[in-house]
Amino acid sequence: MALRVIVVGGGQVGADLASLLTADGHRVTAIEVRDDVARLLRRDLPDGAVISGNGTDPTVLEAAGIREADVVAAVTGADETNLVVTSLARFEFHVPYTIARVNNPKNAWIFGPTMGVDVALNQADLMAHLVQESLPVKSAMRGGRPETDPWPDPRG
Amino acid sequence: MKILIIGCGRLGAGLAQALSLRSHQVTIIDRDATAFDRLLPSFAGQQLDGAGFDRGLLLRAGIDRADGLAAVTGSDEVNAVVARVAREVFKVPRVVARLDDPRKAEIYRRLGLQTIAPVTWGISRIADLLCYTPLAPVISLGTGEVDIVEAEATPLLIGRMVADVTLPGEIHVVAITRRGSTLLPTMGTVFQIGDQLHLAVLGISMERLNVLLGAA
């Protein structure tokens, strides 16, 4: 099923996300406030898929078709921007599913239902989980000794 | 009252000072510790440096038992988020957010936040002062869209009724002071010599009021 997706923030994360989803056949509209970044984005995305403007502006969101969107992904480099976007998406435009990027892990606690966030993507948190998941694998690679201290004392 | 102020710029520092003078318990937060240099030595409140979203910081500042919070940083988005968190998560009874860009007023309105727009307010006030009007503004409501003004009953008004100077949605006579006492008029109240009128006026309708009063 093709989803209608709005990506707010066309930096590296947003550009890749928009390209991947477009390649998978979804209808993606990207919103980017910086003119030079928006220009780069237009090279990679279909005609009309990039809107120049501030994603916290309700009129810009409406121009991007937020009233019909299935998913909104707020992935700018500013947490407050992402939170305003998800709040508007959920409480004003009743978007069924929202994803937000957490830039500063200290702000992660705000990325919840109060601000209209369904899923918060916190890189530090994600990596911490990945590191922990790697522990048994790493032990196995070293000869199947799961008891091995994963953080050996460098002095020993 | 226990009040939290987020942002120690000129507005935040001045507000902290003013509330502190009125013996309120003030905590001011800014992510830049040098911002506190704006506070006078007499400021008796608490200063905390750190990001306005930091949960630990907000709790240390006592947000869970605050009576009021003012979000007055230079970022409209930060103010909107802090104000919403204060209201929805910590149930702070009174929350006011500063709004710098009038184009973003819509965000705040849609998020149900009470706002103050110092620049917008200043523009409308300065414009009013420059374009002289005989009406004395007593107070501005909201962000300056509505003024409460006072005017002496002009000769044109004597013997006419309140209904004659009422424009629904634009101009309302809210009270009349007559011989030392103030009353709430009805549409049929007749103006007398010496009446002092108190009117609520939409800023953009000020000229029309001047015409109605025969003062223009």
Side-chain angles (χ1 to χ4, degrees):
Chain A
M1 185 187 91
L3 293 168
R4 283 165 293 192
V5 185
I6 294 180
V7 176
V8 180
Q12 284 182 337
V13 176
D16 278 351
L17 178 62
S19 296
L20 284 171
L21 291 170
T22 303
D24 281 347
H26 299 294
R27 279 170 52 193
V28 180
T29 305
I31 299 174
E32 171 56 49
V33 71
R34 296 161 294 183
D35 285 338
D36 48 335
V37 179
R39 213 173 303 127
L40 288 174
L41 209 53
R42 284 201 177 88
R43 294 199 311 213
D44 299 334
L45 295 176
D47 282 350
V50 180
I51 291 187
S52 287
N54 196 327
T56 60
D57 183 340
T59 57
V60 171
L61 291 170
E62 286 188 68
I66 193 165
R67 289 190 190 279
E68 289 81 40
D70 299 301
V71 182
V72 165
V75 296
T76 77
D79 286 338
E80 58 273 19
T81 299
N82 296 344
L83 290 164
V84 167
V85 169
T86 53
S87 298
L88 289 172
R90 171 57 38 82
F91 302 114
E92 178 67 22
F93 298 110
H94 311 292
V95 175
Y97 196 69
T98 64
I99 303 168
R101 169 185 174 190
V102 180
N103 293 278
N104 182 347
K106 276 192 173 174
N107 297 340
W109 67 282
I110 309 179
F111 286 72
T114 310
M115 301 306 291
V117 180
D118 292 319
V119 176
L121 205 67
N122 179 349
Q123 278 190 340
D125 192 54
L126 200 64
M127 284 189 194
H129 277 100
L130 291 173
V131 167
Q132 301 204 358
E133 280 168 17
S134 79
L135 296 182
V137 178
K138 199 170 151 195
S139 317
M141 285 190 302
R142 288 199 178 168
R145 285 175 300 157
E147 305 82 7
T148 310
D149 185 353
W151 308 110
D153 187 341
R155 289 165 299 181
Chain B
M1 298 216 302
K2 176 169 177 56
I3 296 168
L4 261 62
I5 299 171
I6 315 298
C8 191
R10 275 191 296 182
L11 180 59
L15 181 64
Q17 216 80 48
L19 291 170
S20 179
L21 267 178
R22 296 187 201 178
S23 307
H24 294 298
Q25 193 191 337
V26 179
T27 299
I28 188 158
I29 295 178
D30 199 291
R31 62 177 164 195
D32 174 12
T34 61
F36 300 128
D37 295 346
R38 292 193 179 90
L39 295 164
L40 298 176
S42 63
F43 175 66
Q46 184 187 22
Q47 309 163 12
L48 293 173
D49 65 295
F53 297 160
D54 186 330
R55 186 185 174 83
L57 186 77
L58 290 171
L59 287 170
R60 251 189 297 148
I63 192 171
D64 48 340
R65 45 181 204 284
D67 301 298
L69 179 142
V72 293
T73 76
S75 158
D76 287 341
E77 281 81 10
V78 168
N79 295 342
V81 171
V82 172
R84 190 171 168 84
V85 164
R87 232 189 39 174
E88 302 293 328
V89 179
F90 296 104
K91 311 291 180 202
V92 178
R94 293 183 189 184
V95 177
V96 180
R98 165 184 171 184
L99 167 69
D100 275 334
D101 183 350
R103 285 171 303 181
K104 290 180 184 160
E106 196 59 11
I107 305 172
Y108 287 80
R109 197 184 64 72
R110 297 197 193 198
L111 294 180
L113 299 169
Q114 192 167 14
T115 60
I116 178 90
V119 174
T120 310
W121 184 85
I123 290 169
S124 91
R125 175 54 64 233
I126 291 169
D128 284 352
L129 290 173
L130 289 175
C131 312
Y132 174 75
T133 148
L135 303 168
V138 179
I139 185 173
S140 275
L141 306 181
T143 49
E145 298 90 343
V146 173
D147 284 318
I148 301 289
V149 300
E150 283 179 358
E152 194 83 16
T154 51
L156 190 72
L157 287 190
I158 309 305
R160 299 177 74 177
M161 291 188 300
V162 165
D164 296 331
V165 292
T166 299
L167 284 179
E170 291 187 56
I171 299 167
H172 294 263
V173 180
V174 290
I176 297 173
T177 302
R178 180 175 295 169
R179 290 185 292 279
S181 74
T182 302
L183 57 108
L184 295 180
T186 65
M187 281 295 168
T189 303
V190 177
F191 296 113
Q192 298 180 6
I193 293 172
D195 278 358
Q196 181 85 7
L197 279 56
H198 311 268
L199 304 111
V201 190
L202 213 55
I204 53 169
S205 305
M206 203 62 89
E207 283 310 309
R208 303 188 70 175
L209 177 61
N210 277 326
V211 172
L212 281 171
L213 295 180

